[in-house]
Amino acid sequence: MPEHVATAEAHPNIALIKYWGDLDPVLHIPANGSISMNLAGMFTRTRVSFTPGLAQDRFTLNDKTADTPSAQRVSKMLDRLRLMAGIDTRALVESQNNFPTGAGIASSASGFAALALAASKAAGLELDEKDLSRLARTGSGSACRSIPAGFVEWQGGTNDEDSYAFTLASPEHWDLVDCIAVVSQVEKQVSSSEGHALASTSVYQKARVSDAPRRLEICRKAILEHDFEALAEVVELDSNLMHAVMFTSNPPVIYWLPETVRIMQAVQSMRKTGLPVCYTVDAGPNVHVLCPSEVAGEVANQLGQITGIAQILMAHPGGAARLVNGKNNVF
Ligand code: DP6
């Protein structure tokens, strides 16, 4: 192997059009395409060292040995890479999130994107953006969207080859801000993977999926034309549709807390007063409040007056996953 160690960073992303439900749960081929924005300022940094003599892969997250299911997901991706690179050396994987753990920001997207980039480089493979995105997807679906920069579309596709993400617009294209209203830091009861598996039990999933191309087109156009009003309408609709599927799955999945609804309603009221702002909620109770950067201060100020918000994090559009120079990076 020409190189054994590499370090990479990737941002988490917020879905504007959501991925919910799989055609293939093993490869994470989604039921519908999705669109997201990378979140600048927050990242996972991962160092991968293929180490001869290591009996098995070792994975630490924020300096602690990771739980078994997470370690198994990491090894599953490393196995794919070992097969591609024709090696069988085990690896030490050290990951750090710079955003607070339990702040309600899913770290699987940034985590598996950083892992795909660092591990492929350390294994001596030079994968292009498309193949890195495909590889990241096998760790966690939404991770494929954390490989390219800025505003990103995941072309759902139907198989391992045609399911990958690409940039729709650069981070500089539109200075939107995601004001993340964190209402709970408790780990969710139902994981995204479990939720995806339940999606098809809802009678609404078919309608949500068949209407997805229309919503994707509205969202793409709104981003390209900087049309916040159109974006706000389709982003809220898409989030509500996903939660309608969750509520009506068997068993139902309800991620919202009373504070979640309070914030959603406050966002609607802000919009009525003329502020360009909208909400979107992932598989958890925290509310992502999107707005153009000019009004972000005012939006954060108004959110700060709502009771039940533990903290507000702010993120502008972020860049692509990237390698970090030097083999011996100190985290
Ligand atoms: C609600 O990508 O976390 O955030 O592939 O099982 O790891 P796995 O699921 P994941 O699902 C993300 C669900 C979502 C919507 C989205 O990000 O598109």
Side-chain angles (χ1 to χ4, degrees), residues 49-86:
S49 325
F50 283 99
T51 312
L54 206 62
Q56 57 186 31
D57 296 323
R58 284 219 306 260
F59 174 39
T60 63
L61 179 58
N62 297 331
D63 298 320
K64 292 195 193 82
T65 301
D67 58 58
T68 310
S70 308
Q72 283 170 344
R73 277 173 92 170
V74 166
S75 281
K76 192 182 123 192
M77 183 188 283
L78 293 174
D79 286 342
R80 278 179 83 84
L81 263 173
R82 280 186 278 258
L83 206 65
M84 289 162 77

PDB file of all heavy atoms in Angstrom, residues 49-86:
ATOM      1  N   SER A  49      -5.963   4.627  10.088  1.00  0.00           N
ATOM      2  CA  SER A  49      -4.601   4.063   9.973  1.00  0.00           C
ATOM      3  C   SER A  49      -4.717   2.559   9.760  1.00  0.00           C
ATOM      4  O   SER A  49      -5.155   1.840  10.671  1.00  0.00           O
ATOM      5  CB  SER A  49      -3.799   4.304  11.251  1.00  0.00           C
ATOM      6  OG  SER A  49      -4.111   5.539  11.841  1.00  0.00           O
ATOM      7  N   PHE A  50      -4.380   2.113   8.561  1.00  0.00           N
ATOM      8  CA  PHE A  50      -4.315   0.661   8.334  1.00  0.00           C
ATOM      9  C   PHE A  50      -3.028   0.174   9.001  1.00  0.00           C
ATOM     10  O   PHE A  50      -1.931   0.662   8.690  1.00  0.00           O
ATOM     11  CB  PHE A  50      -4.330   0.347   6.835  1.00  0.00           C
ATOM     12  CG  PHE A  50      -5.707   0.480   6.247  1.00  0.00           C
ATOM     13  CD1 PHE A  50      -6.082   1.619   5.557  1.00  0.00           C
ATOM     14  CD2 PHE A  50      -6.646  -0.538   6.426  1.00  0.00           C
ATOM     15  CE1 PHE A  50      -7.372   1.747   5.030  1.00  0.00           C
ATOM     16  CE2 PHE A  50      -7.933  -0.421   5.907  1.00  0.00           C
ATOM     17  CZ  PHE A  50      -8.295   0.730   5.207  1.00  0.00           C
ATOM     18  N   THR A  51      -3.181  -0.743   9.953  1.00  0.00           N
ATOM     19  CA  THR A  51      -2.070  -1.098  10.835  1.00  0.00           C
ATOM     20  C   THR A  51      -1.790  -2.594  10.789  1.00  0.00           C
ATOM     21  O   THR A  51      -2.559  -3.386  11.350  1.00  0.00           O
ATOM     22  CB  THR A  51      -2.432  -0.685  12.296  1.00  0.00           C
ATOM     23  OG1 THR A  51      -2.915   0.660  12.265  1.00  0.00           O
ATOM     24  CG2 THR A  51      -1.245  -0.783  13.220  1.00  0.00           C
ATOM     25  N   PRO A  52      -0.704  -3.003  10.136  1.00  0.00           N
ATOM     26  CA  PRO A  52      -0.380  -4.431  10.082  1.00  0.00           C
ATOM     27  C   PRO A  52      -0.272  -4.995  11.501  1.00  0.00           C
ATOM     28  O   PRO A  52       0.254  -4.320  12.393  1.00  0.00           O
ATOM     29  CB  PRO A  52       0.974  -4.469   9.362  1.00  0.00           C
ATOM     30  CG  PRO A  52       1.035  -3.188   8.591  1.00  0.00           C
ATOM     31  CD  PRO A  52       0.281  -2.179   9.405  1.00  0.00           C
ATOM     32  N   GLY A  53      -0.809  -6.192  11.688  1.00  0.00           N
ATOM     33  CA  GLY A  53      -0.712  -6.831  13.002  1.00  0.00           C
ATOM     34  C   GLY A  53      -1.942  -6.601  13.872  1.00  0.00           C
ATOM     35  O   GLY A  53      -2.142  -7.297  14.871  1.00  0.00           O
ATOM     36  N   LEU A  54      -2.779  -5.634  13.497  1.00  0.00           N
ATOM     37  CA  LEU A  54      -4.009  -5.382  14.266  1.00  0.00           C
ATOM     38  C   LEU A  54      -4.980  -6.543  14.003  1.00  0.00           C
ATOM     39  O   LEU A  54      -5.224  -6.888  12.844  1.00  0.00           O
ATOM     40  CB  LEU A  54      -4.614  -4.050  13.794  1.00  0.00           C
ATOM     41  CG  LEU A  54      -5.495  -3.255  14.747  1.00  0.00           C
ATOM     42  CD1 LEU A  54      -4.702  -2.818  15.986  1.00  0.00           C
ATOM     43  CD2 LEU A  54      -6.032  -2.003  14.042  1.00  0.00           C
ATOM     44  N   ALA A  55      -5.511  -7.153  15.087  1.00  0.00           N
ATOM     45  CA  ALA A  55      -6.363  -8.335  14.909  1.00  0.00           C
ATOM     46  C   ALA A  55      -7.741  -7.969  14.367  1.00  0.00           C
ATOM     47  O   ALA A  55      -8.354  -8.725  13.629  1.00  0.00           O
ATOM     48  CB  ALA A  55      -6.497  -9.069  16.246  1.00  0.00           C
ATOM     49  N   GLN A  56      -8.245  -6.795  14.782  1.00  0.00           N
ATOM     50  CA  GLN A  56      -9.545  -6.347  14.258  1.00  0.00           C
ATOM     51  C   GLN A  56      -9.594  -4.827  14.198  1.00  0.00           C
ATOM     52  O   GLN A  56      -8.778  -4.153  14.825  1.00  0.00           O
ATOM     53  CB  GLN A  56     -10.692  -6.897  15.111  1.00  0.00           C
ATOM     54  CG  GLN A  56     -10.591  -6.528  16.575  1.00  0.00           C
ATOM     55  CD  GLN A  56     -11.661  -7.218  17.393  1.00  0.00           C
ATOM     56  OE1 GLN A  56     -12.097  -8.315  17.072  1.00  0.00           O
ATOM     57  NE2 GLN A  56     -12.097  -6.576  18.469  1.00  0.00           N
ATOM     58  N   ASP A  57     -10.577  -4.294  13.433  1.00  0.00           N
ATOM     59  CA  ASP A  57     -10.709  -2.844  13.339  1.00  0.00           C
ATOM     60  C   ASP A  57     -11.012  -2.282  14.724  1.00  0.00           C
ATOM     61  O   ASP A  57     -11.726  -2.901  15.520  1.00  0.00           O
ATOM     62  CB  ASP A  57     -11.874  -2.473  12.402  1.00  0.00           C
ATOM     63  CG  ASP A  57     -11.626  -2.921  10.966  1.00  0.00           C
ATOM     64  OD1 ASP A  57     -10.461  -2.851  10.517  1.00  0.00           O
ATOM     65  OD2 ASP A  57     -12.601  -3.329  10.299  1.00  0.00           O
ATOM     66  N   ARG A  58     -10.475  -1.089  14.986  1.00  0.00           N
ATOM     67  CA  ARG A  58     -10.786  -0.408  16.256  1.00  0.00           C
ATOM     68  C   ARG A  58     -11.329   0.974  15.929  1.00  0.00           C
ATOM     69  O   ARG A  58     -10.775   1.675  15.097  1.00  0.00           O
ATOM     70  CB  ARG A  58      -9.531  -0.280  17.120  1.00  0.00           C
ATOM     71  CG  ARG A  58      -9.150  -1.589  17.796  1.00  0.00           C
ATOM     72  CD  ARG A  58      -8.636  -1.360  19.224  1.00  0.00           C
ATOM     73  NE  ARG A  58      -7.541  -0.397  19.259  1.00  0.00           N
ATOM     74  CZ  ARG A  58      -6.253  -0.736  19.340  1.00  0.00           C
ATOM     75  NH1 ARG A  58      -5.904  -2.008  19.385  1.00  0.00           N
ATOM     76  NH2 ARG A  58      -5.325   0.185  19.388  1.00  0.00           N
ATOM     77  N   PHE A  59     -12.435   1.351  16.571  1.00  0.00           N
ATOM     78  CA  PHE A  59     -13.096   2.615  16.254  1.00  0.00           C
ATOM     79  C   PHE A  59     -13.344   3.418  17.526  1.00  0.00           C
ATOM     80  O   PHE A  59     -14.026   2.937  18.437  1.00  0.00           O
ATOM     81  CB  PHE A  59     -14.428   2.314  15.530  1.00  0.00           C
ATOM     82  CG  PHE A  59     -15.290   3.525  15.278  1.00  0.00           C
ATOM     83  CD1 PHE A  59     -14.748   4.748  14.907  1.00  0.00           C
ATOM     84  CD2 PHE A  59     -16.681   3.443  15.378  1.00  0.00           C
ATOM     85  CE1 PHE A  59     -15.544   5.869  14.660  1.00  0.00           C
ATOM     86  CE2 PHE A  59     -17.497   4.543  15.132  1.00  0.00           C
ATOM     87  CZ  PHE A  59     -16.914   5.759  14.776  1.00  0.00           C
ATOM     88  N   THR A  60     -12.749   4.602  17.612  1.00  0.00           N
ATOM     89  CA  THR A  60     -13.046   5.480  18.747  1.00  0.00           C
ATOM     90  C   THR A  60     -13.774   6.723  18.247  1.00  0.00           C
ATOM     91  O   THR A  60     -13.465   7.256  17.180  1.00  0.00           O
ATOM     92  CB  THR A  60     -11.769   5.932  19.498  1.00  0.00           C
ATOM     93  OG1 THR A  60     -10.950   6.716  18.618  1.00  0.00           O
ATOM     94  CG2 THR A  60     -10.968   4.747  20.014  1.00  0.00           C
ATOM     95  N   LEU A  61     -14.764   7.146  19.015  1.00  0.00           N
ATOM     96  CA  LEU A  61     -15.521   8.363  18.700  1.00  0.00           C
ATOM     97  C   LEU A  61     -15.366   9.301  19.895  1.00  0.00           C
ATOM     98  O   LEU A  61     -15.712   8.916  21.026  1.00  0.00           O
ATOM     99  CB  LEU A  61     -16.994   8.013  18.451  1.00  0.00           C
ATOM    100  CG  LEU A  61     -17.919   9.182  18.141  1.00  0.00           C
ATOM    101  CD1 LEU A  61     -17.465   9.969  16.924  1.00  0.00           C
ATOM    102  CD2 LEU A  61     -19.353   8.682  17.924  1.00  0.00           C
ATOM    103  N   ASN A  62     -14.844  10.490  19.647  1.00  0.00           N
ATOM    104  CA  ASN A  62     -14.559  11.450  20.727  1.00  0.00           C
ATOM    105  C   ASN A  62     -13.764  10.791  21.851  1.00  0.00           C
ATOM    106  O   ASN A  62     -14.108  10.910  23.030  1.00  0.00           O
ATOM    107  CB  ASN A  62     -15.862  12.060  21.265  1.00  0.00           C
ATOM    108  CG  ASN A  62     -16.595  12.851  20.198  1.00  0.00           C
ATOM    109  OD1 ASN A  62     -15.983  13.397  19.287  1.00  0.00           O
ATOM    110  ND2 ASN A  62     -17.913  12.886  20.289  1.00  0.00           N
ATOM    111  N   ASP A  63     -12.722  10.058  21.465  1.00  0.00           N
ATOM    112  CA  ASP A  63     -11.770   9.423  22.387  1.00  0.00           C
ATOM    113  C   ASP A  63     -12.335   8.251  23.186  1.00  0.00           C
ATOM    114  O   ASP A  63     -11.663   7.745  24.083  1.00  0.00           O
ATOM    115  CB  ASP A  63     -11.178  10.460  23.380  1.00  0.00           C
ATOM    116  CG  ASP A  63     -10.411  11.538  22.656  1.00  0.00           C
ATOM    117  OD1 ASP A  63      -9.702  11.202  21.681  1.00  0.00           O
ATOM    118  OD2 ASP A  63     -10.533  12.719  23.042  1.00  0.00           O
ATOM    119  N   LYS A  64     -13.547   7.826  22.872  1.00  0.00           N
ATOM    120  CA  LYS A  64     -14.097   6.665  23.591  1.00  0.00           C
ATOM    121  C   LYS A  64     -14.336   5.522  22.612  1.00  0.00           C
ATOM    122  O   LYS A  64     -14.736   5.773  21.468  1.00  0.00           O
ATOM    123  CB  LYS A  64     -15.436   7.020  24.248  1.00  0.00           C
ATOM    124  CG  LYS A  64     -15.301   7.997  25.381  1.00  0.00           C
ATOM    125  CD  LYS A  64     -16.597   8.023  26.212  1.00  0.00           C
ATOM    126  CE  LYS A  64     -16.627   9.196  27.154  1.00  0.00           C
ATOM    127  NZ  LYS A  64     -17.066  10.456  26.518  1.00  0.00           N
ATOM    128  N   THR A  65     -14.130   4.289  23.051  1.00  0.00           N
ATOM    129  CA  THR A  65     -14.425   3.142  22.201  1.00  0.00           C
ATOM    130  C   THR A  65     -15.904   3.188  21.833  1.00  0.00           C
ATOM    131  O   THR A  65     -16.759   3.336  22.712  1.00  0.00           O
ATOM    132  CB  THR A  65     -14.115   1.825  22.957  1.00  0.00           C
ATOM    133  OG1 THR A  65     -12.740   1.880  23.313  1.00  0.00           O
ATOM    134  CG2 THR A  65     -14.370   0.604  22.104  1.00  0.00           C
ATOM    135  N   ALA A  66     -16.185   3.081  20.542  1.00  0.00           N
ATOM    136  CA  ALA A  66     -17.572   3.224  20.084  1.00  0.00           C
ATOM    137  C   ALA A  66     -18.383   1.976  20.443  1.00  0.00           C
ATOM    138  O   ALA A  66     -17.820   0.901  20.664  1.00  0.00           O
ATOM    139  CB  ALA A  66     -17.591   3.453  18.587  1.00  0.00           C
ATOM    140  N   ASP A  67     -19.716   2.126  20.472  1.00  0.00           N
ATOM    141  CA  ASP A  67     -20.572   0.973  20.772  1.00  0.00           C
ATOM    142  C   ASP A  67     -20.507  -0.033  19.614  1.00  0.00           C
ATOM    143  O   ASP A  67     -20.087   0.291  18.504  1.00  0.00           O
ATOM    144  CB  ASP A  67     -22.022   1.421  21.042  1.00  0.00           C
ATOM    145  CG  ASP A  67     -22.607   2.187  19.872  1.00  0.00           C
ATOM    146  OD1 ASP A  67     -22.647   1.634  18.762  1.00  0.00           O
ATOM    147  OD2 ASP A  67     -23.012   3.352  20.055  1.00  0.00           O
ATOM    148  N   THR A  68     -20.929  -1.261  19.897  1.00  0.00           N
ATOM    149  CA  THR A  68     -20.780  -2.344  18.911  1.00  0.00           C
ATOM    150  C   THR A  68     -21.510  -2.080  17.589  1.00  0.00           C
ATOM    151  O   THR A  68     -20.914  -2.257  16.526  1.00  0.00           O
ATOM    152  CB  THR A  68     -21.238  -3.687  19.532  1.00  0.00           C
ATOM    153  OG1 THR A  68     -20.574  -3.797  20.791  1.00  0.00           O
ATOM    154  CG2 THR A  68     -20.895  -4.878  18.672  1.00  0.00           C
ATOM    155  N   PRO A  69     -22.779  -1.655  17.594  1.00  0.00           N
ATOM    156  CA  PRO A  69     -23.440  -1.426  16.301  1.00  0.00           C
ATOM    157  C   PRO A  69     -22.697  -0.391  15.435  1.00  0.00           C
ATOM    158  O   PRO A  69     -22.543  -0.582  14.228  1.00  0.00           O
ATOM    159  CB  PRO A  69     -24.830  -0.899  16.687  1.00  0.00           C
ATOM    160  CG  PRO A  69     -25.048  -1.336  18.090  1.00  0.00           C
ATOM    161  CD  PRO A  69     -23.703  -1.440  18.729  1.00  0.00           C
ATOM    162  N   SER A  70     -22.190   0.688  16.042  1.00  0.00           N
ATOM    163  CA  SER A  70     -21.455   1.699  15.260  1.00  0.00           C
ATOM    164  C   SER A  70     -20.165   1.092  14.715  1.00  0.00           C
ATOM    165  O   SER A  70     -19.809   1.315  13.545  1.00  0.00           O
ATOM    166  CB  SER A  70     -21.093   2.913  16.118  1.00  0.00           C
ATOM    167  OG  SER A  70     -22.211   3.416  16.765  1.00  0.00           O
ATOM    168  N   ALA A  71     -19.469   0.326  15.560  1.00  0.00           N
ATOM    169  CA  ALA A  71     -18.206  -0.295  15.122  1.00  0.00           C
ATOM    170  C   ALA A  71     -18.465  -1.261  13.966  1.00  0.00           C
ATOM    171  O   ALA A  71     -17.677  -1.343  13.018  1.00  0.00           O
ATOM    172  CB  ALA A  71     -17.556  -1.019  16.296  1.00  0.00           C
ATOM    173  N   GLN A  72     -19.596  -1.959  14.030  1.00  0.00           N
ATOM    174  CA  GLN A  72     -19.923  -2.908  12.939  1.00  0.00           C
ATOM    175  C   GLN A  72     -20.199  -2.162  11.635  1.00  0.00           C
ATOM    176  O   GLN A  72     -19.817  -2.618  10.558  1.00  0.00           O
ATOM    177  CB  GLN A  72     -21.138  -3.766  13.326  1.00  0.00           C
ATOM    178  CG  GLN A  72     -20.764  -4.863  14.304  1.00  0.00           C
ATOM    179  CD  GLN A  72     -21.965  -5.588  14.891  1.00  0.00           C
ATOM    180  OE1 GLN A  72     -23.103  -5.099  14.801  1.00  0.00           O
ATOM    181  NE2 GLN A  72     -21.730  -6.736  15.502  1.00  0.00           N
ATOM    182  N   ARG A  73     -20.867  -1.011  11.731  1.00  0.00           N
ATOM    183  CA  ARG A  73     -21.145  -0.221  10.511  1.00  0.00           C
ATOM    184  C   ARG A  73     -19.841   0.278   9.897  1.00  0.00           C
ATOM    185  O   ARG A  73     -19.681   0.307   8.691  1.00  0.00           O
ATOM    186  CB  ARG A  73     -22.053   0.977  10.839  1.00  0.00           C
ATOM    187  CG  ARG A  73     -23.519   0.598  10.887  1.00  0.00           C
ATOM    188  CD  ARG A  73     -24.371   1.744  11.364  1.00  0.00           C
ATOM    189  NE  ARG A  73     -24.884   2.561  10.268  1.00  0.00           N
ATOM    190  CZ  ARG A  73     -25.812   3.498  10.421  1.00  0.00           C
ATOM    191  NH1 ARG A  73     -26.314   3.754  11.603  1.00  0.00           N
ATOM    192  NH2 ARG A  73     -26.235   4.203   9.384  1.00  0.00           N
ATOM    193  N   VAL A  74     -18.919   0.691  10.754  1.00  0.00           N
ATOM    194  CA  VAL A  74     -17.617   1.171  10.269  1.00  0.00           C
ATOM    195  C   VAL A  74     -16.871   0.020   9.583  1.00  0.00           C
ATOM    196  O   VAL A  74     -16.334   0.177   8.477  1.00  0.00           O
ATOM    197  CB  VAL A  74     -16.792   1.774  11.441  1.00  0.00           C
ATOM    198  CG1 VAL A  74     -15.334   1.952  11.060  1.00  0.00           C
ATOM    199  CG2 VAL A  74     -17.401   3.106  11.870  1.00  0.00           C
ATOM    200  N   SER A  75     -16.851  -1.140  10.227  1.00  0.00           N
ATOM    201  CA  SER A  75     -16.127  -2.287   9.650  1.00  0.00           C
ATOM    202  C   SER A  75     -16.750  -2.733   8.334  1.00  0.00           C
ATOM    203  O   SER A  75     -16.045  -3.183   7.428  1.00  0.00           O
ATOM    204  CB  SER A  75     -16.108  -3.466  10.625  1.00  0.00           C
ATOM    205  OG  SER A  75     -15.118  -3.227  11.587  1.00  0.00           O
ATOM    206  N   LYS A  76     -18.075  -2.600   8.236  1.00  0.00           N
ATOM    207  CA  LYS A  76     -18.753  -2.979   6.993  1.00  0.00           C
ATOM    208  C   LYS A  76     -18.229  -2.130   5.829  1.00  0.00           C
ATOM    209  O   LYS A  76     -17.943  -2.635   4.739  1.00  0.00           O
ATOM    210  CB  LYS A  76     -20.272  -2.773   7.174  1.00  0.00           C
ATOM    211  CG  LYS A  76     -21.129  -3.386   6.081  1.00  0.00           C
ATOM    212  CD  LYS A  76     -22.612  -3.095   6.316  1.00  0.00           C
ATOM    213  CE  LYS A  76     -23.194  -2.392   5.104  1.00  0.00           C
ATOM    214  NZ  LYS A  76     -24.521  -1.819   5.277  1.00  0.00           N
ATOM    215  N   MET A  77     -18.073  -0.818   6.070  1.00  0.00           N
ATOM    216  CA  MET A  77     -17.535   0.030   4.999  1.00  0.00           C
ATOM    217  C   MET A  77     -16.064  -0.298   4.727  1.00  0.00           C
ATOM    218  O   MET A  77     -15.626  -0.351   3.577  1.00  0.00           O
ATOM    219  CB  MET A  77     -17.688   1.517   5.328  1.00  0.00           C
ATOM    220  CG  MET A  77     -17.193   2.371   4.174  1.00  0.00           C
ATOM    221  SD  MET A  77     -17.119   4.115   4.535  1.00  0.00           S
ATOM    222  CE  MET A  77     -18.841   4.529   4.414  1.00  0.00           C
ATOM    223  N   LEU A  78     -15.308  -0.543   5.801  1.00  0.00           N
ATOM    224  CA  LEU A  78     -13.889  -0.881   5.609  1.00  0.00           C
ATOM    225  C   LEU A  78     -13.748  -2.189   4.824  1.00  0.00           C
ATOM    226  O   LEU A  78     -12.849  -2.323   3.989  1.00  0.00           O
ATOM    227  CB  LEU A  78     -13.175  -0.978   6.960  1.00  0.00           C
ATOM    228  CG  LEU A  78     -13.039   0.343   7.733  1.00  0.00           C
ATOM    229  CD1 LEU A  78     -12.442   0.106   9.114  1.00  0.00           C
ATOM    230  CD2 LEU A  78     -12.174   1.346   6.953  1.00  0.00           C
ATOM    231  N   ASP A  79     -14.662  -3.139   5.073  1.00  0.00           N
ATOM    232  CA  ASP A  79     -14.626  -4.410   4.324  1.00  0.00           C
ATOM    233  C   ASP A  79     -14.807  -4.165   2.831  1.00  0.00           C
ATOM    234  O   ASP A  79     -14.128  -4.767   1.998  1.00  0.00           O
ATOM    235  CB  ASP A  79     -15.715  -5.373   4.826  1.00  0.00           C
ATOM    236  CG  ASP A  79     -15.359  -5.985   6.178  1.00  0.00           C
ATOM    237  OD1 ASP A  79     -14.172  -5.936   6.554  1.00  0.00           O
ATOM    238  OD2 ASP A  79     -16.280  -6.493   6.860  1.00  0.00           O
ATOM    239  N   ARG A  80     -15.749  -3.291   2.495  1.00  0.00           N
ATOM    240  CA  ARG A  80     -15.965  -2.956   1.068  1.00  0.00           C
ATOM    241  C   ARG A  80     -14.690  -2.393   0.465  1.00  0.00           C
ATOM    242  O   ARG A  80     -14.294  -2.746  -0.646  1.00  0.00           O
ATOM    243  CB  ARG A  80     -17.063  -1.880   0.930  1.00  0.00           C
ATOM    244  CG  ARG A  80     -18.458  -2.385   0.972  1.00  0.00           C
ATOM    245  CD  ARG A  80     -19.424  -1.216   0.855  1.00  0.00           C
ATOM    246  NE  ARG A  80     -19.651  -0.808  -0.533  1.00  0.00           N
ATOM    247  CZ  ARG A  80     -20.528  -1.383  -1.347  1.00  0.00           C
ATOM    248  NH1 ARG A  80     -21.257  -2.391  -0.917  1.00  0.00           N
ATOM    249  NH2 ARG A  80     -20.678  -0.963  -2.580  1.00  0.00           N
ATOM    250  N   LEU A  81     -14.051  -1.500   1.215  1.00  0.00           N
ATOM    251  CA  LEU A  81     -12.833  -0.857   0.724  1.00  0.00           C
ATOM    252  C   LEU A  81     -11.685  -1.845   0.585  1.00  0.00           C
ATOM    253  O   LEU A  81     -10.921  -1.792  -0.383  1.00  0.00           O
ATOM    254  CB  LEU A  81     -12.417   0.240   1.703  1.00  0.00           C
ATOM    255  CG  LEU A  81     -12.858   1.623   1.332  1.00  0.00           C
ATOM    256  CD1 LEU A  81     -12.551   2.591   2.444  1.00  0.00           C
ATOM    257  CD2 LEU A  81     -12.156   2.075   0.046  1.00  0.00           C
ATOM    258  N   ARG A  82     -11.575  -2.746   1.565  1.00  0.00           N
ATOM    259  CA  ARG A  82     -10.488  -3.735   1.514  1.00  0.00           C
ATOM    260  C   ARG A  82     -10.642  -4.593   0.271  1.00  0.00           C
ATOM    261  O   ARG A  82      -9.661  -4.903  -0.409  1.00  0.00           O
ATOM    262  CB  ARG A  82     -10.471  -4.596   2.800  1.00  0.00           C
ATOM    263  CG  ARG A  82      -9.798  -3.891   3.972  1.00  0.00           C
ATOM    264  CD  ARG A  82      -9.658  -4.822   5.180  1.00  0.00           C
ATOM    265  NE  ARG A  82     -10.882  -4.877   5.955  1.00  0.00           N
ATOM    266  CZ  ARG A  82     -11.067  -4.223   7.108  1.00  0.00           C
ATOM    267  NH1 ARG A  82     -10.097  -3.498   7.643  1.00  0.00           N
ATOM    268  NH2 ARG A  82     -12.207  -4.320   7.754  1.00  0.00           N
ATOM    269  N   LEU A  83     -11.898  -4.906  -0.040  1.00  0.00           N
ATOM    270  CA  LEU A  83     -12.171  -5.708  -1.237  1.00  0.00           C
ATOM    271  C   LEU A  83     -11.750  -4.930  -2.488  1.00  0.00           C
ATOM    272  O   LEU A  83     -11.102  -5.468  -3.388  1.00  0.00           O
ATOM    273  CB  LEU A  83     -13.683  -5.994  -1.277  1.00  0.00           C
ATOM    274  CG  LEU A  83     -14.150  -7.242  -2.003  1.00  0.00           C
ATOM    275  CD1 LEU A  83     -13.620  -8.483  -1.280  1.00  0.00           C
ATOM    276  CD2 LEU A  83     -15.691  -7.287  -2.020  1.00  0.00           C
ATOM    277  N   MET A  84     -12.104  -3.642  -2.519  1.00  0.00           N
ATOM    278  CA  MET A  84     -11.757  -2.795  -3.673  1.00  0.00           C
ATOM    279  C   MET A  84     -10.243  -2.641  -3.807  1.00  0.00           C
ATOM    280  O   MET A  84      -9.705  -2.616  -4.916  1.00  0.00           O
ATOM    281  CB  MET A  84     -12.386  -1.394  -3.520  1.00  0.00           C
ATOM    282  CG  MET A  84     -13.885  -1.349  -3.698  1.00  0.00           C
ATOM    283  SD  MET A  84     -14.611   0.172  -3.008  1.00  0.00           S
ATOM    284  CE  MET A  84     -14.200   1.349  -4.274  1.00  0.00           C
ATOM    285  N   ALA A  85      -9.555  -2.508  -2.671  1.00  0.00           N
ATOM    286  CA  ALA A  85      -8.114  -2.229  -2.710  1.00  0.00           C
ATOM    287  C   ALA A  85      -7.269  -3.508  -2.724  1.00  0.00           C
ATOM    288  O   ALA A  85      -6.049  -3.445  -2.897  1.00  0.00           O
ATOM    289  CB  ALA A  85      -7.730  -1.365  -1.507  1.00  0.00           C
ATOM    290  N   GLY A  86      -7.915  -4.667  -2.499  1.00  0.00           N
ATOM    291  CA  GLY A  86      -7.178  -5.928  -2.466  1.00  0.00           C
ATOM    292  C   GLY A  86      -6.236  -6.024  -1.273  1.00  0.00           C
ATOM    293  O   GLY A  86      -5.094  -6.488  -1.396  1.00  0.00           O
TER     294      GLY A  86
END
